[in-house]
Amino acid sequence: MKITSLNVNNFKNSEKERIEFKDGINIIFGDNAAGKTNLLEAIFLFAAGKSFRGSKDKNFVRFGQDYAFTEIVFENKSGNCKLGIKLFKNAKKQIFREGVQISKLSEYLGLFRAVIFTPDHLNLVKGSPEFRRRFIDLAICQSFPRYVATASEYNRILAQKNALLKNRIDSEDLLEVYNERLSFLAAHITSNRLKFLKQLQPEAKAFQHDMTNGAEELSLDYISQAGEGFESTDDIKNRYLDIYKSKKEQEKYKGVTLFGPHKDDFTIFINKKNARLFASQGQQRSAVLSLKLAEGELSNKLTGEYPVFLLDDILSELDSKRKKYILDTTYGKQVIITGCDKEFFSGLESRNKIYVENGRACFYT
């Protein structure tokens, strides 16, 4: 899989730009706040349907404008494809496939896939559980687009239940309806996450083993609010029904839903020790690198082709050994790298270097 071009109109600090990409390594360089990461964000929208920064749709629109538009042309194993997204300040985004508007995210998610790696990901080991949940969910939705609809409905029902609890509305029947639906959705989210981590672990383990010359073994353990040792998706659903029933008064007192996959987490172990508690900074960085590379490897095994790798100013955060490892591992795949210093990239074999200034692609070298 490779992206051949990106068009952006009124997207953040870019007025109107067209950028072309080539096979192998593509380098986007420029000063801080020049708009390099914005371009990666515009690309990643087509992989996950949302920003890897957590930006809202209205924040994509350039100041003083009513809407933003971004479009990519890419090649996958099925041939050439063109996708577009129109984003508004006060309206729902519009999605286009080959110039024709479509109504569902699931109609385009999975067509284009990308692995994003930013300096923030270096906190994956020690960061908050929310960060790790987001890592799992963004990866799953690219290979299993229907997961997006399940997660979206869960968040919608969760918000409705929380409003009911917060406002102290006395409606046992409605609360029961919410709990029934949440249990069903929670079971499917949990089941998908467990399946994904089970598939991701051997890939990450292999990278960690290779990177450390066999000195470190990486493993993952999903921590569910519903417990462990699940027999089936129905088993998970029934456990959540029991939890919501037994903890109903506690949730009513707190005014919020206390249990569900929105509270789940996973633990990263190195040599059977909790990496968050015992790993050095170097070990943590190796673990994160293994997880991100494993994400790309698993995408290839599930779909039959590698995703595009988006490295946002990450090489400057890695030592020479880890920088070489990620470049060697992604060799032969399309990689788009951002950074501030052109000289930093002088040793890289790239046919395409793009200088960005104030949201504009000023020249190619």
Side-chain angles (χ1 to χ4, degrees):
M1 174 172 292
K2 66 176 182 180
I3 179 173
T4 55
S5 67
L6 166 71
N7 288 304
V8 291
N9 291 339
N10 297 324
F11 189 90
K12 291 202 164 181
N13 68 336
S14 293
E15 182 178 2
K16 187 175 182 179
E17 292 297 318
R18 173 182 170 82
I19 299 176
E20 296 183 353
F21 298 99
K22 298 180 180 179
D23 294 348
I25 295 176
N26 296 260
I27 294 170
I28 301 174
F29 67 99
D31 294 336
N32 287 325
K36 305 181 299 295
T37 300
N38 293 345
L39 298 177
L40 295 192
E41 201 168 12
I43 294 171
F44 192 74
L45 275 174
F46 296 98
K50 62 179 70 176
S51 166
F52 61 81
R53 289 165 148 179
S55 301
K56 295 182 179 179
D57 287 352
K58 65 180 181 180
N59 295 330
F60 291 122
V61 181
R62 190 166 178 256
F63 181 76
Q65 302 298 318
D66 296 322
Y67 68 89
F69 183 74
T70 178
E71 179 184 79
I72 61 169
V73 178
F74 63 97
E75 298 176 15
N76 60 19
K77 61 183 179 181
S78 300
N80 294 323
C81 189
K82 180 170 69 175
L83 297 175
I85 301 179
K86 195 172 186 179
L87 304 128
F88 301 90
K89 285 186 175 180
N90 299 304
K92 188 177 180 180
K93 63 174 167 273
Q94 297 175 355
I95 307 166
F96 301 87
R97 180 176 177 180
E98 305 300 336
V100 178
Q101 186 172 349
I102 56 180
S103 58
K104 297 180 180 179
L105 279 174
S106 58
E107 292 183 55
Y108 89 85
L109 286 179
L111 295 175
F112 175 77
R113 291 176 299 282
V115 171
I116 181 72
F117 194 0
T118 77
D120 286 343
H121 285 111
L122 296 175
N123 295 317
L124 191 60
V125 176
K126 282 199 168 183
S128 68
E130 181 181 4
F131 198 76
R132 287 182 287 278
R133 289 193 299 269
R134 184 173 178 80
F135 162 72
I136 300 175
D137 291 342
L138 285 178
I140 294 175
C141 73
Q142 295 191 53
S143 298
F144 304 98
R146 291 182 181 179
Y147 181 80
V148 177
T150 302
S152 296
E153 185 182 359
Y154 177 85
N155 289 330
R156 179 171 58 81
I157 301 298
L158 178 67
Q160 292 173 345
K161 178 184 171 182
N162 284 341
L164 183 75
L165 293 170
K166 180 180 179 180
N167 295 320
R168 313 295 178 183
I169 299 174
D170 188 15
S171 179
E172 294 293 325
D173 290 342
L174 184 56
L175 185 59
E176 186 175 340
V177 169
Y178 286 154
N179 286 339
E180 176 72 30
R181 190 59 184 169
L182 280 179
S183 297
F184 173 83
L185 296 167
H188 284 273
I189 289 171
T190 303
S191 178
N192 275 280
R193 288 177 176 174
L194 284 167
K195 182 180 179 181
F196 174 77
L197 281 188
K198 184 178 180 180
Q199 294 173 312
L200 186 72
Q201 177 172 289
E203 306 297 339
K205 180 180 178 180
F207 282 119
Q208 190 80 8
H209 182 275
D210 186 40
M211 201 184 319
T212 62
N213 296 318
E216 295 175 8
E217 180 180 350
L218 184 148
S219 58
L220 307 170
D221 183 33
Y222 190 76
I223 305 169
S224 171
Q225 293 270 298
E228 56 186 0
F230 306 119
E231 296 179 359
S232 64
T233 304
D234 282 341
D235 180 27
I236 303 173
K237 175 188 173 181
N238 290 331
R239 292 195 194 191
Y240 269 116
L241 284 172
D242 290 341
I243 289 171
Y244 289 138
K245 183 177 180 180
S246 64
K247 303 296 184 179
K248 180 172 65 175
E249 294 305 318
Q250 185 180 349
E251 289 190 332
K252 288 169 72 174
Y253 176 76
K254 294 288 187 179
V256 68
T257 306
L258 299 172
F259 306 93
H262 63 289
K263 297 286 188 179
D264 286 356
D265 195 2
F266 72 90
T267 303
I268 302 165
F269 293 92
I270 297 177
N271 294 336
K272 299 182 180 181
K273 293 183 179 180
N274 189 326
R276 184 175 65 84
L277 301 176
F278 298 106
S280 67
Q281 185 182 65
Q283 288 177 313
Q284 292 174 32
R285 293 194 169 198
S286 294
V288 173
L289 185 54
S290 295
L291 287 169
K292 296 305 291 185
L293 291 172
E295 182 186 344
E297 195 66 34
L298 182 56
S299 177
N300 175 50
K301 290 190 175 181
L302 292 173
T303 66
E305 58 186 344
Y306 281 100
V308 176
F309 288 83
L310 308 175
L311 309 183
D312 184 29
D313 202 21
I314 191 65
L315 295 186
S316 61
E317 299 290 331
L318 300 175
D319 59 27
S320 59
K321 177 184 175 182
R322 294 180 178 88
K323 181 172 70 172
K324 182 178 185 301
Y325 189 84
I326 193 171
L327 291 173
D328 288 348
T329 305
T330 55
Y331 182 79
K333 308 167 183 70
Q334 191 182 47
V335 183
I336 303 174
I337 305 173
T338 67
C340 294
D341 187 359
K342 180 183 177 182
E343 298 305 317
F344 181 77
F345 300 114
S346 59
L348 299 183
E349 295 182 7
S350 173
R351 298 165 53 209
N352 200 30
K353 294 185 176 72
I354 306 156
Y355 177 70
V356 174
E357 183 178 14
N358 295 325
R360 295 181 60 244
C362 297
F363 59 81
Y364 293 72
T365 63

